[in-house]
């Protein structure tokens, strides 16, 4: 009986897919372990196209290897392995490149001799709870304003927000908390010129006790900036810790 899938080539194809998955997981884990900051400004949107180019190149290389390893396969099996390699190759590049790019951008934007470190308050716009799913780990996150960022917090800090929601703002959905200047995040920032980043963040939760109720003076100053469409070119990213 003829064998449709020669074992040596099957082994190489499987090794290719497993190798790409291992590269994605190990690379992302290593990079995210080293990256402990979240950059607020600048946002580096100008580099997004390079991510797509790199991901496409990685996918094409993986697909080309799959074509080589599957030349004796039946058409439909060959199509499956090539398409799978294309997608997983692109994913592997993105998973590795994302934390590495963050680290490189941080070294460029925050040179040691020109960077100052200081405590500050970030105004929070909302908080939400991600339930554990097939691809999403359980987590509790906050978003900042006027400069948007998405930061992870501890469950204890999220419960603090639930317990101290302002009167009349208690939602029936415990997975969504509105803040809009009511809660603040007490964080450590670094600044070098116009570049600002949050320390002890990145791919991990901010330290316990980060979330507090904003001092009234901070809430008033934040409200005075008006709606987003009225913000000037330069807005206040963070406020001093106090005393107020």
């Amino acid at each position: 009986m003829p064998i449709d899938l020669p074992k040596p080539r099957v082994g190489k194809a499987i090794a290719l897919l497993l190798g790409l998955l291992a590269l994605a997981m190990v690379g992302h884990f290593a990079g995210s372990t080293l990256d402990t900051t979240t950059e607020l400004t600048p946002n580096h949107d100008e580099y997004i196209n390079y991510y797509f180019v790199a991901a496409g190149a990685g996918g094409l290389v993986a697909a080309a290897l799959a074509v080589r390893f599957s030349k004796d396969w039946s058409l439909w099996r060959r199509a499956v392995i090539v398409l799978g390699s294309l997608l997983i190759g692109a994913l592997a590049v993105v998973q590795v490149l994302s934390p590495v790019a963050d680290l490189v951008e941080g070294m460029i934007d925050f040179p040691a001799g020109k960077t100052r470190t200081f405590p500050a308050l970030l105004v929070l716009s909302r908080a939400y709870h991600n339930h554990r799913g097939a691809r999403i780990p359980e987590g509790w996150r906050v978003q900042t304003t006027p400069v948007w960022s998405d930061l992870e917090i501890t469950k204890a800090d999220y419960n603090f927000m639930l317990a101290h929601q302002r009167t009349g703002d208690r939602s029936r959905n415990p997975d969504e908390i509105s803040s809009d200047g009511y809660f603040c995040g007490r964080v450590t920032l670094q600044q070098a010129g116009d570049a600002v980043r949050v320390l002890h963040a990145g791919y991990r939760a901010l330290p316990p006790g980060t979330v507090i109720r904003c001092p009234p003076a901070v809430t008033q100053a934040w409200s005075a900036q008006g709606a987003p469409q009225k913000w000037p070119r330069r807005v206040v990213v963070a406020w001093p810790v106090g005393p107020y």
Side-chain angles (χ1 to χ4, degrees):
M1 178 181 294
I3 300 176
D4 184 45
L5 301 177
K7 291 184 179 179
R9 294 194 180 277
V10 173
K12 288 182 179 179
I14 293 175
L16 172 63
L17 292 179
L18 293 178
L20 290 172
L21 288 172
L23 174 64
M25 291 187 291
V26 173
H28 186 76
F29 176 78
S32 60
T33 300
L34 296 173
D35 183 17
T36 59
T37 67
T38 296
E39 192 160 345
L40 300 178
T41 61
N43 56 27
H44 294 295
D45 284 345
E46 66 273 18
Y47 297 129
I48 289 179
N49 289 336
Y50 294 108
Y51 279 90
F52 287 118
V53 171
L60 289 175
V61 170
L65 291 173
V67 168
R68 178 181 176 184
F69 295 151
S70 63
K71 63 181 180 179
D72 297 325
W73 294 25
S74 62
L75 180 60
W76 72 270
R77 284 175 172 164
R78 195 177 192 192
V80 169
I81 193 67
V82 170
L83 180 60
S85 298
L86 177 66
L87 296 176
I88 296 176
L91 175 64
V93 171
V94 171
Q95 290 293 304
V96 174
L97 189 59
S98 180
V100 171
D102 289 341
L103 290 170
V104 173
E105 290 166 358
M107 289 187 289
I108 294 173
D109 291 342
F110 299 91
K114 299 180 180 180
T115 300
R116 70 185 185 100
T117 303
F118 56 97
L121 296 178
L122 294 178
V123 175
L124 306 180
S125 61
R126 64 183 286 259
Y128 63 97
H129 173 209
N130 276 333
H131 289 276
R132 186 182 303 276
R135 300 179 182 178
I136 302 175
E138 186 175 27
W140 300 266
R141 308 189 69 85
V142 292
Q143 294 178 349
T144 61
T145 178
V147 175
W148 184 91
S149 65
D150 192 83
L151 304 169
E152 185 175 356
I153 60 173
T154 63
K155 182 179 181 180
D157 274 347
Y158 188 87
N159 287 337
F160 170 84
M161 297 179 75
L162 278 176
H164 294 84
Q165 286 178 273
R166 54 186 154 194
T167 304
D169 194 36
R170 293 188 178 274
S171 170
R172 294 184 179 180
N173 182 3
D175 295 330
E176 284 277 347
I177 302 175
S178 173
S179 173
D180 289 331
Y182 188 69
F183 292 106
C184 283
R186 185 169 45 196
V187 299
T188 302
L189 296 183
Q190 283 190 329
Q191 180 180 15
D194 290 334
V196 180
R197 66 180 176 182
V198 184
L199 299 186
H200 315 301
Y203 293 87
R204 63 189 66 191
L206 290 165
T210 290
V211 178
I212 62 171
R213 287 179 57 177
C214 290
V218 172
T219 300
Q220 292 170 8
W222 173 81
S223 300
Q225 293 190 123
Q229 60 268 25
K230 296 182 180 179
W231 287 340
R233 290 186 60 189
R234 297 179 68 88
V235 298
V236 178
V237 175
W239 279 263
V241 171
Y244 289 95

